[in-house]
Structures are given as C-alpha cells and as structure tokens.
Amino acid sequence: MSFFLSIVMPAYNEEDCIEQVVGSWTDFLKSKFPDKKTTLIVINDGSKDKTGEILDRIKVNHTHLTVVHQKNGGHGNAVVNGYKMALKLDSEYVFQTDSDDQFVTDDFDKLWQKRNQSEFILGYREIRHDAKVRLFITRFLRSTISLVYGTFILDSNIPFRLIKGSFLQKLMDQLPDPAPFAPNIFLAVMAKKSGQELFDIPITHRERISGTVSIVKWNLWKVCIRSFRELLRFRLELNRKIKAIKKA
C-alpha cells in the first residue's frame, strides 16, 4: 500500500532532543492526516551517543515511525537514503526536516497550502539562529548558485521542503552518484531550472540548544571549495539533466 506522506529526518547525536522531536512530528502526522497512511523516516547516521538506542526504544509505541540505522556517512548521505526509503514506500508526498528541534510543525501548513501549485516547495529561514560559519556558507552558496547557474534561491539547502513523490523520483534519477556533499542544493537547482515555483516561504528557525553541529568539524574553506567544485562540475551536465527531467 502506498504512503500518502513520508517525512525524512536525518539524525546524528541528538540524544537530548530526539524523543521530543520524533514525538512532535509523529503526533502531527496523526492529527493532520488521521485517515492517511503516513510515516516519519528517521535515518540514524551512525550516532555515537544514545540516539540510536532511544529511537529503538520509542519506535515500539510510535506506529508512525520508521527507523533506519546506517554507518556515519554525513548529513547529505542520510538525506539521500531517507529520500530513497520514501520513494521505496511509494510516497505521494515527501517532506524533509531536521532532528535538531530548530523547526516547528505548525510551519508545515505554509508549504502544504501550495502543494497544488508546485511539485517542489521550499521554506527559508527568515531569521536564522546558526553559527556564523554556517551563515557564511549559506551566503557563499547563494552567490555561487547565482553566478554558476544564473538562478537565485534564498535558502537552497534548507531542510524544510515539500516534494511530490513522482517529481522527487525524477530528480533523484539525475542526482550525481556518489551523492554530493549537499544534495538538497542540487535538487533545488534542478527543480527551479525545470520550471517549478519554489515559493521560498518564510518559516520559523529556533536556536539550537543541544546536539552536534557536524559542519563545525569541517574547515570552512574546504566546505566552500568542495561545494563550489561540485556545483561547477554539475553545471556542465545540467542542461542534459533538465531535459531528462522534463521528458520524464
């Protein structure tokens, strides 16, 4: 049986908040879509704390929870694997968010209301509570995308997006393999270039009070250089991929 909506949520070292976050989103699914088949897919990306243990414990009482454990592959890898799982479940809609308790379930409706106007809808963090290094990377990527692709996306890597399942499959078929460092950026670029209205809807972004910020482990310039190279290389293939998406 196909799923109506699957929420994809990567998780890494979030033992302090994972139970609360999972509870919020599974409760949301039950109240928002009581008569629909839905699930929250949490990809535990090789957490070194008790995140995995907590997920295994609470999944017994959460019928709307799907837990997948994997070796640590990074946030982008976890997102891609979550998308693949959602597509395997034949999900009509796929929503992606993070496990760090920085987003609120109420904002889902802002995107949901636009679902008949676009197959790929983004939020954007109007007021963003993140470390300066992450804010710099976001600005760098925004400028790079504008320069390399001639398109402007406010928050291309935001983990708060609603995608029609059939369209996500088209995008995933064109995603570079192995997956890039930040696959959500590539999906956003392909979606916009193929004619989708992303909307860039302002959403709430709360201050992180627990967990591990993985990007801090990376050297700032290494992240920027790697992302720039991946985006530049992908630019050479973009026109062909957009044609493939439209044809599909």
Side-chain angles (χ1 to χ4, degrees), residues 42-236:
V42 180
I43 307 294
N44 174 35
D45 186 36
S47 296
K48 297 178 180 179
D49 63 1
K50 295 181 179 180
T51 298
E53 297 176 30
I54 294 171
L55 288 170
D56 285 339
R57 172 174 57 81
I58 65 177
K59 71 179 180 182
V60 178
N61 298 317
H62 287 283
T63 57
H64 289 70
L65 175 61
T66 301
V67 176
V68 178
H69 299 287
Q70 67 172 38
K71 293 182 179 179
N72 181 253
H75 184 274
N77 176 264
V79 168
V80 167
N81 288 336
Y83 286 150
K84 288 179 179 178
M85 173 62 73
L87 293 172
K88 185 178 180 180
L89 296 176
D90 194 23
S91 305
E92 183 174 351
Y93 291 97
V94 180
F95 179 76
Q96 194 253 313
T97 189
D98 268 355
S99 58
D100 52 17
D101 202 25
Q102 289 189 274
F103 299 100
V104 297
T105 58
D106 288 348
D107 281 341
F108 174 89
D109 280 337
K110 295 179 182 179
L111 278 63
W112 187 247
Q113 291 170 4
K114 302 287 188 181
R115 69 188 184 280
N116 293 323
Q117 300 177 50
S118 177
E119 295 183 298
F120 192 102
I121 304 166
L122 288 185
Y124 88 92
R125 292 160 281 198
E126 188 174 21
I127 300 176
R128 185 172 176 180
H129 297 280
D130 269 331
K132 291 182 179 179
V133 59
R134 295 176 71 91
L135 297 178
F136 177 85
I137 291 174
T138 295
R139 289 193 294 269
F140 173 83
L141 290 174
R142 185 184 299 158
S143 299
T144 299
I145 291 169
S146 180
L147 175 66
V148 175
Y149 295 102
T151 190
F152 183 79
I153 304 175
L154 275 171
D155 202 348
S156 62
N157 198 34
I158 187 172
F160 205 88
R161 53 188 60 208
L162 177 68
I163 314 170
K164 190 73 178 292
S166 56
F167 186 66
L168 176 60
Q169 183 64 70
K170 296 176 186 178
L171 296 177
M172 293 292 289
D173 287 343
Q174 301 304 321
L175 191 67
D177 186 23
F181 176 73
N184 270 340
I185 296 176
F186 291 75
L187 298 180
V189 169
M190 287 191 290
K192 186 161 186 177
K193 284 293 188 179
S194 65
Q196 296 298 316
E197 172 58 69
L198 308 190
F199 287 108
D200 296 319
I201 299 169
I203 60 167
T204 304
H205 188 246
R206 302 189 294 201
E207 187 174 355
R208 172 190 273 269
I209 59 175
S210 63
T212 300
V213 183
S214 57
I215 193 69
V216 173
K217 296 180 181 180
W218 286 71
N219 177 278
L220 171 62
W221 291 110
K222 285 184 179 180
V223 171
C224 291
I225 292 172
R226 175 176 174 177
S227 297
F228 181 79
R229 286 177 175 172
E230 289 179 339
L231 288 167
L232 193 61
R233 184 164 55 248
F234 187 68
R235 178 66 183 87
L236 301 176

Side-chain angles (χ1 to χ4, degrees), residues 19-38:
E19 186 168 359
Q20 175 186 337
V21 175
V22 167
S24 295
W25 283 102
T26 53
D27 287 347
F28 163 78
L29 286 175
K30 287 184 285 187
S31 61
K32 177 71 175 177
F33 306 105
D35 301 320
K36 299 288 188 179
K37 191 172 179 63
T38 61

